[in-house]
Amino acid sequence: ETLTISTASKTYPLYIGDRIRFEIQSFLNNLNGNFSSILIITDSNVEPLFLNDIKTSLTDFENIYSYVVPGGEGAKSFSVFYDLLTYALENELDRKSLVIALGGGVIGDLAGFVAATYMRGIPFIQMPTTLLAHDSSVGGKVAINHPLGKNMIGAFYQPEAVIYDTDMLLTLPEEQWRSGFAEVIKHALIWDADFYNWLHSEIHTLADLRAEKLQYALAKGISVKAQVVAQDEKESGIRAYLNFGHTLAHAIEAGLGYGKMSHGDAVAIGMLFAIRVSEEYYGINLNLSKFKEWFKQYNFPQIPKELGADLLLQLMKKDKKAQNGSLRMVLMKTIGEVETVKVNDEFILNTLIKELEEVQ
Ligand code: NAD
Ligand code: ZN
């Protein structure tokens, strides 16, 4: 299946299918890029699984370089970024060289930023290998971290194509399936009530997702992301909807220390909190307890009580989306419809306290 991602700066294809990594050469031929050489960037977990498949499938290239970074968020650092640029320079990659990001969101963000900056920008391709990367590989946000903040150094830089081989997801550990699934749920909740209903009735456990329903769920999630970035590539408006659940999620991730809880687990907690805030803010009933039961089916964790309401509020206010110190959150009016709203500290603090009290 081929989807088309259209943004203000670029339109590109997203291929999704089972075992399509072996067809990479023909996808590249479609691009007519006349690439001089290839640099595959991957991590130490993905390399033993898939690097060789990609290399041997690139039948028309003589100069194929590969660079393996350590697995995990730590690779989105200045020093790894610098080492990659050094490697590219040493091997005389030029403006016609193609970077292939083979991995999860970490590799996509890192390799994309290398491609965006090397010689003022060279072409790159996303080959996502995680479920979460259905989110990160689409839309062109690329970045590395600064010790003072996550994703603080980056660019908007769209790939030439995304090649999503669903077969590569089957080696993911359970927690990575859950983490990525949180973003799938997010895409349904912010945009597409029918998709939510489908998830609710078809995906009872993560095992249901791994079976034949994966392609459909992924294509749906990607199409929501694609529609949002098509309308707002640089996040001046509705792209912020994608931050649904993320204000509290980022606070939890920072509060526990990055890597202690997966991003998706934190987002799941954040979405439940956003639903609670929405109920109170609009004075409506969104059936929070039903959502909580539903999320439990997938074993999403509860909010880490030990962080406490005061610290969580403080960390939420540090979020990039806070403007002049006042907190903004994406709230849900109904399933499939959200908006960005300014909320006051005391209201959020009280709602946090209520949420924490419910933890068993
Ligand atoms: P990740 O890339 O670290 O992958 C998670 C783990 O799974 C890693 O240990 C990795 O080595 C391993 N792995 C990857 N593919 C595998 C496979 N097929 N089989 C077995 N193991 C595999 O993390 P992620 O969850 O994919 O992405 C998180 C990152 O994405 C964060 O840095 C986040 O900031 C970024 N992100 C970016 C955007 C964006 O729009 N650019 C959006 C969301 C998230
Ligand atoms: Zn996210």
Side-chain angles (χ1 to χ4, degrees), residues 92-114:
E92 299 180 346
L93 297 203
D94 59 32
R95 288 215 171 85
K96 289 243 149 210
S97 300
L98 174 74
V99 170
I100 297 180
L102 175 67
V106 163
I107 292 300
D109 281 14
L110 170 70
F113 190 56
V114 168

Side-chain angles (χ1 to χ4, degrees), residues 132 135 179 182-183 186 242-246 249-250 253 263-264 267:
L132 189 130
D135 184 357
S179 182
E183 303 280 12
K186 177 193 79 180
L242 298 168
N243 296 315
F244 182 63
H246 281 59
H250 290 150
E253 289 180 277
H263 177 65
V267 170

Side-chain angles (χ1 to χ4, degrees), residues 206-224:
L206 294 172
D208 292 338
L209 186 64
R210 282 191 289 265
E212 75 278 12
K213 287 160 187 153
L214 178 60
Q215 295 243 355
Y216 179 82
L218 270 180
K220 273 286 186 186
I222 289 166
S223 92
V224 171

Side-chain angles (χ1 to χ4, degrees), residues 164-176:
Y164 211 154
D165 178 355
T166 48
D167 179 60
M168 293 201 287
L169 303 187
L170 299 181
T171 50
L172 284 173
E174 180 85 4
E175 65 196 62
Q176 294 299 335

Side-chain angles (χ1 to χ4, degrees), residues 244 274-289 291 331-339 341 347:
F244 182 63
I275 291 169
R276 179 188 280 274
V277 173
S278 306
E279 285 189 333
E280 306 238 341
Y281 184 88
Y282 299 115
I284 55 175
N285 181 8
L286 292 168
N287 252 323
L288 175 65
S289 54
F291 277 105
L331 298 187
M332 186 198 282
K333 295 207 246 185
T334 174
I335 293 171
E337 198 186 338
V338 293
E339 65 179 352
V341 166
F347 168 54

Side-chain angles (χ1 to χ4, degrees), residues 43 45-46 49-50 71-73 76 103-107 109 129-130 132-133 135-136 138 141-142 150-151 168-169 171-173 176 179 183 225 239 263:
D43 77 25
N45 298 321
V46 177
L49 297 169
F50 306 118
E73 186 72 25
K76 281 172 65 173
V106 163
I107 292 300
D109 281 14
T129 64
T130 65
L132 189 130
D135 184 357
S136 57
V138 172
K141 278 191 182 178
V142 298
K150 197 166 138 60
N151 295 330
M168 293 201 287
L169 303 187
T171 50
L172 284 173
Q176 294 299 335
S179 182
E183 303 280 12
K225 174 102 190 222
R239 187 165 181 161
H263 177 65

